[in-house]
Amino acid sequence: MVRDKRNQKRHNVNMPLRIDENTEKVIDEFVSKGNLTTGALVDFTGLSRPTVTKRLDRLHAAEFIEYVHEPTALWQLTEDPRSR
């Protein structure tokens, strides 16, 4: 059985997050629209699914986003990393 790594508790809260142009696009969509699915972020940002997924994984590992509803991959921004 394959476990979804996004479900695991993150222990490295101080993990540095590099905010590039693509990460900015993803964060901007959360700020303007609220909770979003991975697919919606792909549509709204115009980025590829692998690019969006990579940014979501990084934001999740740094504990800036969390799953609201895992089966539909609905994400919620818990804190804007740019405000730090």
Side-chain angles (χ1 to χ4, degrees):
M1 182 173 160
V2 177
R3 287 185 72 181
D4 185 345
K5 292 180 183 176
R6 293 177 209 158
N7 247 353
Q8 298 172 2
K9 176 69 180 157
R10 305 298 179 202
H11 297 286
N12 188 0
V13 177
N14 295 324
M15 180 180 172
L17 177 68
R18 191 178 120 242
I19 300 178
D20 63 6
E21 181 180 328
N22 292 334
T23 305
E24 285 275 352
K25 288 180 182 181
V26 170
I27 295 168
D28 287 343
E29 292 302 326
F30 277 119
V31 170
S32 68
K33 295 180 177 70
N35 299 348
L36 294 165
T37 64
T38 303
L41 284 163
V42 169
D43 292 343
F44 293 141
T45 61
L47 300 171
S48 70
R49 183 169 292 273
T51 298
V52 168
T53 300
K54 184 183 285 185
R55 294 329 184 271
L56 291 172
D57 287 343
R58 290 177 184 168
L59 287 165
H60 189 245
E63 298 184 342
F64 291 110
I65 63 171
E66 65 184 12
Y67 270 123
V68 174
H69 188 248
E70 187 174 343
T72 58
L74 183 63
W75 295 95
Q76 174 183 7
L77 183 69
T78 56
E79 179 184 352
D80 189 335
R82 301 171 296 188
S83 64
R84 283 192 172 180

